[in-house]
Amino acid sequence: MVKKVLIVGAGYAGIEAALTLNKKRKKDEVEITLVDKNEYHTLLTELHETAGNRVSEEAIRIPLGRIFKYTGVKVIKDEIKSFDFENNKLHSKNKEFSYDYLVMAMGSTPNFFGIPGLKENAFTLWSFDDAVRIREHIKNCFILAEHEENEQERKRLLTFVVGGAGFTGVEMIGELALWTKDLAKEHDIKNREIRLIIVDMMSRILSNLSEKNAKKAHKYLKKLGVEILLNTPIKEVNAEGFSTGEQFIDTKTLIWAAGVRSAEEVDEMAMEKLGGPKRLKVDEFCRTKFENVYAVGDIGATMDEQGKPQPAMVENAIQTGRGAAKNILKSIRSQEPEIVTVKMHGTMVSVGNFFAVSDIMGRELPVWLSIIMKFMVNIHYLWEITGFWGVARYLYHELLERRQRKLIIEQHWSTRIQAWWLVPVRLFLGWAWLYEGIKKIGEGWFLSPKLATFFGYATGTDANTAATPLAGAEATEGAVEGAAATVQTLFNLDLGFINIILEKTADMIFRIDFGPVNWFIENIVLANDTTQMVFQIGVVVAEIVLGLALLSGTFTFLAALASIALTANFIMTTGIYEKTWWMIFAAIACMGGAGRAFGVDYYLIPYLNNVWEYLWKNHRFSLIFKRSFDRPE
Ligand SMILES: Cc1cc2nc3c(=O)[nH]c(=O)nc-3n(C[C@H](O)[C@H](O)[C@H](O)COP(=O)(O)OP(=O)(O)OC[C@H]3O[C@@H](n4cnc5c(N)ncnc54)[C@H](O)[C@@H]3O)c2cc1C
């Protein structure tokens, strides 16, 4: 009989549980239903980027319909209000849900620790709506401050405080430090009028990172102009600011990022909860006291080797979600459950665009590597849940549609690519390669060795003995002094290392004489007639394949990249000529999506992504399936 598995919460844990069940199920084994109060999954780890106006809100939410396309998971938008574990039933406002197995993955919610006025007056950063609300509020503070004549009120509007110096708080204040500078310029407000403060009860920031990394981040925040108040509890909050006991800080913006606890639904559950965060007690299989009810992610307290709850972080959520799904299938198949061991690999914290620290498997990575790692982790996650589509969308938002453009390079790169403008360039480049290839066939490149002459080497009966470069005067025969002089003026690149010399001839723009390449040609390519034939046939085939790929717009990005590589190869062998140098620039232009308009790529790339996604989500390879030819919305 088909078993009903109900998952509540489409966060990191719930999604992983649903995808794992879908991938590992046998036919007619389970019916998977996922209920969430939103129709999208929120990338909680990136909320600060939207709150700080680095990326648009679209960057941090992914439609659930998109994630569960090609799966058997039924997604329902609803909010579960009550849990009846005795009768295997849940209730929303209007509906009843029954289950054989339940996975609770409702995540966390901010913890206000009973501080008077905090809940009513502070902003939280725990949902998509929170992030948008903070962003709009901060914009509004600047709009109001610009024309505010009351000095105290203006000061209050321009003081931004984050409560809690853990990773969420530090990331948030880092974004504000960068964004408020732009806002100040926009609203004609002096930077020195803006006050940025981060407050924490602890004696240092980032207590979950090593001391060294915390110090690095502390120093960087100071450099950005952030005041760091440590050993400072927030005692009481009202609409005009907050008191620390020793002082009252005037502000309209207090963002509370100091405490989390399990989703409020657990309060009504007759189950054991651990400590202040109230996470549900689970066994080593992620089961609660009800054997068919699992609690995963932030809501469940899986223990580490020291008997402490695993931190409420993404890695824990993904691994417990996956573990619970596997154990449900084992239970259905009457197999022994598997212990869910969570392996935490580390923590990364970014402060704005250009700074990050990380402790990965006990090692402190340098700033540049931490920034890359943060990107890679997101890319890896999105690749797993949505394939190429999610990764491309993420990179689009992070790189091309970044809202704050600090670096000159960011300011100039385009946000929208009108691919059809590039079609003539692509066709012309394709035709040029095809023409070159066909011409070489006509010249007998498939019949006898030609490369030695082509590269300007003296030829003999056996290339092996005759691979000697022609004398300089002979090789540059026909050089026109005037043209060479012009070329020298234009391209006088003195790179001055590893034996790079520029040669100029009549219609040659330039050639780089690069020792290792010369060695390779003389000793490998021209070693004998057979190697010469292999390489020259390779060149002809490559030119024809590139030509056809570009003309048809098939794998255009790769073809353009290969074009550049082949041209670079010519620069170091035959030299590049007046009539061919444009091919480099045309190829660079074609990398920007030239196959997407009037090209096969328009259909092929989404199709390949769909095939991959279907395989990844179902563990079944299929070329034709329902909606296999869908294009991205
Ligand atoms: C700003 C911020 C930054 C963070 N940065 C990092 C970081 O850098 N690294 C890291 O590892 N962790 C980070 N975290 C923590 C991480 O996001 C959480 O550990 C993770 O999201 C937990 O996943 P989850 O699936 O348990 O819950 P969530 O991702 O919170 O998902 C819970 C889901 O349940 C749904 N839901 C809740 N109640 C109901 C209901 N009654 N009915 C229906 N649906 C419901 C919600 O809509 C939500 O979709 C950060 C968190 C925040 C807020």
Side-chain angles (χ1 to χ4, degrees):
M1 207 182 75
V2 181
K3 296 285 182 192
K4 285 186 186 175
V5 181
L6 183 60
I7 302 167
V8 185
Y12 297 84
I15 285 186
E16 185 64 26
L19 287 175
T20 306
L21 280 166
N22 180 71
K23 201 187 292 186
K24 300 202 175 291
R25 77 198 150 126
K26 292 187 186 137
K27 199 164 180 277
D28 296 332
E29 194 176 30
V30 282
E31 179 191 295
I32 312 158
T33 306
L34 175 67
V35 184
D36 198 288
K37 54 188 172 190
N38 298 310
E39 71 279 17
Y40 50 81
H41 166 58
T42 306
L43 294 177
L44 284 186
T45 60
E46 309 308 303
L47 283 184
H48 57 282
E49 293 192 9
T50 292
N53 200 39
R54 180 168 8 153
V55 296
S56 89
E57 57 269 43
E58 287 316 309
I60 58 164
R61 65 172 173 183
I62 307 172
L64 292 175
R66 185 62 192 72
I67 296 174
F68 292 102
K69 196 174 166 184
Y70 306 130
T71 68
V73 178
K74 188 164 145 197
V75 178
I76 296 178
K77 183 185 172 194
D78 210 340
E79 182 168 0
I80 301 300
K81 298 278 186 194
S82 66
F83 295 74
D84 177 359
F85 302 117
E86 307 290 344
N87 297 302
N88 292 351
K89 288 198 182 349
L90 306 185
H91 296 94
S92 68
K93 197 169 161 213
N94 302 314
K95 252 194 193 158
E96 181 179 273
F97 297 85
S98 63
Y99 61 83
D100 296 304
Y101 292 89
L102 172 67
V103 180
M104 295 194 289
M106 289 94 75
S108 310
T109 190
N111 193 344
F112 299 102
F113 301 111
I115 299 171
L118 183 60
K119 189 171 180 182
E120 298 75 17
N121 296 296
F123 290 87
T124 52
L125 184 61
W126 211 264
S127 68
F128 175 85
D129 292 336
D130 286 349
V132 175
R133 200 175 301 126
I134 290 174
R135 184 189 68 197
E136 295 309 307
H137 165 79
I138 286 169
K139 278 192 209 166
N140 201 36
C141 284
F142 276 84
I143 293 169
L144 295 175
E146 187 175 356
H147 302 293
E148 179 57 63
E149 281 164 12
N150 179 315
E151 203 180 313
Q152 198 187 4
E153 181 62 10
R154 186 170 157 107
K155 219 170 124 188
R156 197 176 284 135
L157 285 165
L158 294 175
T159 299
F160 303 96
V161 186
V162 172
F167 55 81
T168 312
V170 166
E171 291 190 324
M172 187 64 241
I173 200 80
E175 294 296 329
L176 291 184
L178 297 182
W179 184 33
T180 49
K181 288 194 175 58
D182 289 352
L183 285 169
K185 217 183 281 167
E186 213 175 287
H187 294 278
D188 208 12
I189 288 169
K190 302 231 167 2
N191 267 329
R192 64 181 143 77
E193 284 190 79
I194 299 169
R195 219 178 146 195
L196 295 159
I197 308 172
I198 187 162
V199 189
D200 203 297
M201 275 177 70
M202 311 275 281
S203 56
R204 72 162 165 111
I205 66 165
L206 296 174
S207 53
N208 51 350
L209 256 77
S210 70
E211 188 115 20
K212 190 173 154 203
N213 267 336
K215 271 192 187 144
K216 245 161 91 176
H218 187 114
K219 203 167 145 199
Y220 187 73
L221 284 176
K222 285 287 215 192
K223 202 170 129 194
L224 291 178
V226 175
E227 292 172 46
I228 303 171
L229 303 183
L230 298 173
N231 302 309
T232 308
I234 291 179
K235 295 255 168 89
E236 200 172 341
V237 186
N238 64 34
E240 306 306 320
F242 64 93
S243 157
T244 66
E246 286 172 6
Q247 58 172 324
F248 187 88
I249 296 181
D250 286 305
T251 180
K252 288 278 184 200
T253 314
L254 170 61
I255 301 170
W256 184 242
V260 303
R261 49 147 298 179
S262 287
E264 280 166 5
E265 288 83 353
V266 302
D267 292 350
E268 304 299 318
M269 294 176 190
M271 287 186 189
E272 192 179 338
K273 291 141 212 161
L274 301 184
K278 297 190 176 175
R279 294 170 77 183
L280 295 174
K281 187 172 178 209
V282 290
D283 63 15
E284 65 269 48
F285 311 116
C286 290
R287 295 179 308 200
T288 61
K289 71 175 187 181
F290 299 94
E291 287 212 345
N292 63 339
V293 178
Y294 296 71
V296 294
D298 284 6
I299 208 171
T302 316
M303 297 297 174
D304 65 13
E305 282 152 5
Q306 280 85 45
K308 284 195 303 194
Q310 291 285 3
M313 292 179 75
V314 169
E315 277 201 294
N316 171 63
I318 290 177
Q319 293 175 49
T320 51
R322 190 183 304 144
K326 285 186 188 165
N327 281 336
I328 288 173
L329 290 176
K330 282 188 182 290
S331 164
I332 293 171
R333 294 167 192 166
S334 306
Q335 295 166 350
E336 284 300 306
E338 212 174 78
I339 292 179
V340 181
T341 30
V342 174
K343 289 197 183 73
M344 301 296 289
H345 293 92
T347 310
M348 279 159 268
V349 179
S350 61
V351 185
N353 281 353
F354 310 114
F355 182 90
V357 282
S358 58
D359 288 351
I360 307 287
M361 294 195 279
R363 297 182 67 183
E364 289 149 352
L365 301 186
V367 169
W368 64 271
L369 198 52
S370 303
I371 294 173
I372 293 175
M373 282 296 287
K374 188 123 190 170
F375 268 101
M376 295 315 288
V377 166
N378 285 332
I379 287 173
H380 177 252
Y381 175 65
L382 291 166
W383 177 255
E384 295 219 335
I385 65 167
T386 58
F388 181 70
W389 176 84
V391 175
R393 189 169 174 271
Y394 171 72
L395 291 176
Y396 172 77
H397 283 289
E398 285 288 337
L399 302 175
L400 297 180
E401 226 206 21
R402 205 176 255 192
R403 290 188 165 177
Q404 294 168 51
R405 293 162 176 249
K406 305 274 180 207
L407 299 178
I408 192 113
I409 189 164
E410 291 176 297
Q411 288 158 14
H412 285 272
W413 62 41
S414 116
T415 58
R416 296 267 188 277
I417 298 158
Q418 297 291 343
W420 55 273
W421 283 112
L422 295 170
V423 174
V425 181
R426 191 192 85 215
L427 294 179
F428 198 57
L429 182 63
W431 173 82
W433 280 123
L434 191 63
Y435 173 81
E436 285 290 329
I438 291 173
K439 195 177 78 179
K440 287 190 178 77
I441 296 177
E443 288 167 1
W445 278 52
F446 278 178
L447 303 174
S448 60
K450 302 275 182 212
L451 271 187
T453 324
F454 185 64
F455 289 150
Y457 286 84
T459 51
T461 44
D462 186 341
N464 198 18
T465 54
T468 317
L470 290 172
E474 216 179 315
T476 56
E477 194 181 350
V480 178
E481 289 298 319
T486 314
V487 166
Q488 189 154 15
T489 319
L490 283 173
F491 298 97
N492 193 8
L493 309 176
D494 184 10
L495 301 178
F497 64 100
I498 35 182
N499 187 26
I500 292 176
I501 302 158
L502 296 179
E503 290 183 9
K504 298 107 194 163
T505 66
D507 68 341
M508 183 195 283
I509 300 269
F510 70 88
R511 160 169 139 70
I512 294 176
D513 196 1
F514 185 41
V517 172
N518 291 344
W519 180 91
F520 183 78
I521 288 173
E522 285 160 25
N523 296 286
I524 309 283
V525 179
L526 303 181
N528 55 50
D529 285 355
T530 313
T531 54
Q532 212 178 142
M533 283 303 291
V534 168
F535 278 96
Q536 76 183 45
I537 290 173
V539 168
V540 175
V541 171
E543 288 182 342
I544 292 177
V545 169
L546 279 184
L548 293 175
L550 289 163
L551 282 172
S552 59
T554 309
F555 295 121
T556 310
F557 182 85
L558 294 179
L561 210 60
S563 267
I564 294 170
L566 205 56
T567 320
N569 194 26
F570 287 144
I571 290 176
M572 287 184 278
T573 52
T574 59
I576 190 156
Y577 287 78
E578 272 177 6
K579 60 182 190 300
T580 50
W581 64 268
W582 61 271
M583 292 170 84
I584 299 181
F585 303 104
I588 292 172
C590 285
M591 286 169 74
R596 269 187 259 156
F598 307 108
V600 174
D601 282 350
Y602 180 81
Y603 306 99
L604 182 66
I605 301 299
Y607 169 72
L608 289 179
N609 181 51
N610 296 346
V611 169
W612 181 89
E613 208 177 320
Y614 186 87
L615 168 69
W616 175 253
K617 288 179 178 166
N618 298 292
H619 260 202
R620 269 194 293 275
F621 179 70
S622 177
L623 289 174
I624 305 286
F625 44 92
K626 198 171 158 207
R627 299 176 67 189
S628 55
F629 293 103
D630 266 15
R631 289 188 35 75
E633 306 78 38

